[in-house]
Each structure stands twice: as C-alpha cells, then as structure tokens.
Amino acid sequence: MFRKFQWLGSSLLGVAALITTVSLGNVSSVAQNRDGTKIVATFLPIYIFTKGVTGETGEVELLIPPGTDPHDYQATPENARTIAAADVLVKNGLGFEEFLEKLVDSAGNSQLQEIDASQNIEPIEEKEDDHDDHDDHDHDHDHHHHHSHEEGNPHVWLDPVLAQQQIKNIRDGLIKADPNNTTTYQTNANIYLQKLQQLDQEFQTRLAPFQGCKFIAFHDAYPYLAKRYNLQQMAVVELPQDNITPKDIQRVINATKEYQVKALLGEIGYNDSRVQQIAKDIGVPVKKLDPLESGLLDPEHYFTAMRNNLKTLEEVCQ
C-alpha cells in the first residue's frame, strides 16, 4: 500500500513555521566538508555510498536512523531543520523515500541540490501477482513487509552492478555541487567502484553452480540480486511482524509446495520462529538476508553485509 506522508504530531504548517526560526546556531549538526558544503543522505545504504565517495573530505549526516524502516518513516521537525540547512541531499530515488518530497517542499530551501542515486537505472516493475495472496489477509498493513512502489522496485542497492551506477551518480552530483573537491570525489569513487566490481565477480563465480535456484522471500527486496545472478525469487509471502495466524502459516506452506522452492529467505531483525517450524516441517531451510537497512555507519559495511548475503545464498542453494 502506498504510504501517505505523516508528521509525528506536527502539521506541515507547524513545521514550516519551525523552519523559519532556524538560525545559524542550530545547523551545527548538519554535516559539512572542509569547504562548508552540508551533505545529507536519506538512509543507510545511501549514506554508505555517499561516505564512500566523500571519504575524509567531510562528514555525511544520516537522515533516517539505522534500523528504522524507511518504507514507513515519519519525518520529524529535526529532519526539517536538517533539510533547511543542507546544501546537498542524496536520496535513493525510485519513490523509496515516500516522505521526502513533502519534507523538502516544506523546508523551503531553494538552494538545496538533490542527487538521485538511481538516475538512469531501469526499475523492475512490480506486479500484483509478484506477491503471494496479497489480498487474502485482514491484518493492518503497518505489520507487513510488503510495500507497493509506484515507480517500480527501489531496492537497487542490493545489486553490486547497479550499486556501481549509484556510486557514479553520487560522484557526479557531488562534483557538480562541490567542484573544489572534484579530484577527491573521483579518486574515492574509483576505489569504491573497484571494490564493487570485485564483489560482483565473487557473486558471479560462487553462484554460477546454482543457476535457477528458487527461493521465497518475506520482503520484496531481492529481485535485482536474483535477476543479476540467475536466481529465481518465486514469491513474496506477506506476514505480519507479530501474531502470525494459522492462515498465514498455510499461505507459506502453499507457496513453498507450489513453487518447489529450496529455501525460505527471511531477513536480519525479523522474528520468524514459527516460519522456522514451518520450514522444518516442509523440509526446507530458512536463512536470513540483509537488506542493509540497518548496520554500521562505515562504507566497508556494505561489503561485509553483501558477502554474508552471498554466503547465505550459497547455503540455501546447495
């Protein structure tokens, strides 16, 4: 379901009024590089990529705290102050940051330069039948991992090849916004791109024996990863994060049997003890993939998490 923008106890007018009171003394929390360029990234993967390009040139501020679900994020007055004081805003794009447009509009920062990290990336279009039995539930949508995205699936950062395009977009955007540090941005981006190319080679080599491996996921975050390495995400089974019902369990069982999958793929931080029991009864493993929506504020964390994902895929496809 398309998430409507919500404020935590504040109206847009209230935040707009708040922004007008922002003074220079209030913007110290916004990241600045040596030349005073204030850079903000929306959520963890984009922060990681942006920091990979800026290097030690400057700090990059993260708008959405790690571990907070970006799909359902509700903007705060502090976010409004941050955007009002920023020079550059780096976003994933593809409609992922659904709260962002209204936040930026209300900030009234006419000098803000936005970098769309997914520019020139062709999204995978979402179809209704990509999700198993998505109308056959009566749970509150806030308890589901499934989120509809009008601009296509936005989880492009989980494909090491598309991640390279995101790095290039961030590099070019930062050079345009801050030409004094062009050489630094180019050098850091080249290093990060080389690491992504190596990661892609590792995925290609190690997943080559498992072409066509089928899996079911509980979060529609992996179609790009599956497509890149010739795996098959057969279905996305919606489950509430709590109070799993017998009906939910039956949907998992039905999908597992229908698609004859080799594994169920949960994710880091998701409580799937009953899914574990279902998988045991059916005779397939449950493993966890990391969508990188939580973790360390370190550019190297991307590679650690993705190599863990690679290990998981190897295990489930044996």
Side-chain angles (χ1 to χ4, degrees):
M1 172 180 292
F2 184 76
R3 303 269 177 204
K4 298 296 184 183
F5 175 84
Q6 300 179 41
W7 289 100
L8 292 178
S10 299
S11 67
L12 287 176
L13 290 176
V15 173
L18 174 66
I19 292 168
T20 62
T21 66
V22 174
S23 66
L24 292 177
N26 291 330
V27 302
S28 60
S29 65
V30 179
Q32 301 185 48
N33 70 15
R34 293 175 190 150
D35 296 325
T37 303
K38 305 175 185 69
I39 304 171
V40 178
T42 53
F43 77 117
L44 186 62
I46 299 304
Y47 172 92
I48 284 174
F49 290 165
T50 303
K51 188 62 179 172
V53 175
T54 63
E56 297 305 315
T57 299
E59 296 300 315
V60 179
E61 182 168 355
L62 179 61
L63 198 64
I64 302 176
T68 304
D69 186 353
H71 301 88
D72 302 322
Y73 187 68
Q74 298 174 326
T76 68
E78 179 62 30
N79 293 151
R81 286 192 291 268
T82 297
I83 296 297
D87 295 310
V88 179
L89 173 64
V90 191
K91 64 182 180 181
N92 181 75
L94 295 176
F96 187 71
E97 299 97 337
E98 295 176 356
F99 69 94
L100 197 58
E101 182 177 354
K102 291 183 180 180
L103 176 63
V104 171
D105 287 346
S106 68
N109 183 349
S110 61
Q111 302 302 311
L112 183 69
Q113 298 189 50
E114 292 190 40
I115 299 174
D116 184 344
S118 297
Q119 185 176 355
N120 298 323
I121 292 177
E122 187 69 28
I124 293 176
E125 297 299 328
E126 292 187 334
K127 300 177 182 178
E128 292 298 329
D129 57 6
D130 286 341
H131 303 276
D132 177 73
D133 208 14
H134 79 283
D135 289 325
D136 190 22
H137 61 78
D138 53 9
H139 300 286
D140 189 310
H141 285 284
D142 288 341
H143 292 170
H144 282 270
H145 279 241
H146 167 51
H147 306 270
S148 295
H149 300 281
E150 293 184 349
E151 298 181 37
N153 192 297
H155 299 85
V156 294
W157 65 88
L158 292 167
D159 176 343
V161 175
L162 295 181
Q164 293 173 47
Q165 182 61 50
Q166 292 197 297
I167 289 290
K168 293 174 183 176
N169 288 335
I170 294 170
R171 174 200 64 196
D172 295 345
L174 288 176
I175 288 173
K176 180 180 178 181
D178 181 25
N180 289 337
N181 283 301
T182 293
T183 300
T184 297
Y185 296 144
Q186 289 176 333
T187 300
N188 290 336
N190 286 340
I191 293 171
Y192 210 85
L193 287 168
Q194 290 173 2
K195 293 179 179 180
L196 287 170
Q197 290 163 5
Q198 174 60 37
L199 181 67
D200 172 48
Q201 287 297 320
E202 291 177 32
F203 268 80
Q204 288 188 42
T205 300
R206 290 168 58 178
L207 293 179
F210 309 117
Q211 303 273 313
C213 173
K214 299 177 181 179
F215 65 88
I216 289 176
F218 298 95
H219 180 187
D220 195 12
Y222 312 105
Y224 296 97
L225 185 65
K227 180 180 180 181
R228 178 68 58 190
Y229 303 110
N230 296 310
L231 308 178
Q232 296 185 57
Q233 177 178 281
M234 302 307 297
V236 178
V237 182
E238 300 175 20
L239 287 178
Q241 294 186 13
D242 51 20
N243 299 322
I244 297 177
T245 69
K247 191 175 183 180
D248 294 318
I249 295 172
Q250 192 59 50
R251 287 191 295 110
V252 177
I253 293 172
N254 291 345
T256 303
K257 291 180 177 178
E258 177 183 356
Y259 298 115
Q260 298 180 330
V261 299
K262 291 187 175 182
L264 303 177
L265 289 179
E267 66 182 55
I268 303 297
Y270 181 68
N271 183 8
D272 58 0
S273 59
R274 295 190 66 178
V275 174
Q276 292 278 3
Q277 185 59 50
I278 298 167
K280 182 178 179 181
D281 294 343
I282 298 172
V284 298
V286 173
K287 299 291 184 177
K288 292 181 182 266
L289 289 180
D290 187 349
L292 278 140
E293 293 172 6
S294 63
L296 302 176
L297 300 180
D298 180 350
E300 294 303 309
H301 176 66
Y302 179 84
F303 301 100
T304 300
M306 288 299 290
R307 287 190 170 99
N308 287 338
N309 285 343
L310 174 55
K311 182 180 179 182
T312 294
L313 291 170
E314 285 181 308
E315 291 173 351
V316 301
C317 290
Q318 290 287 352

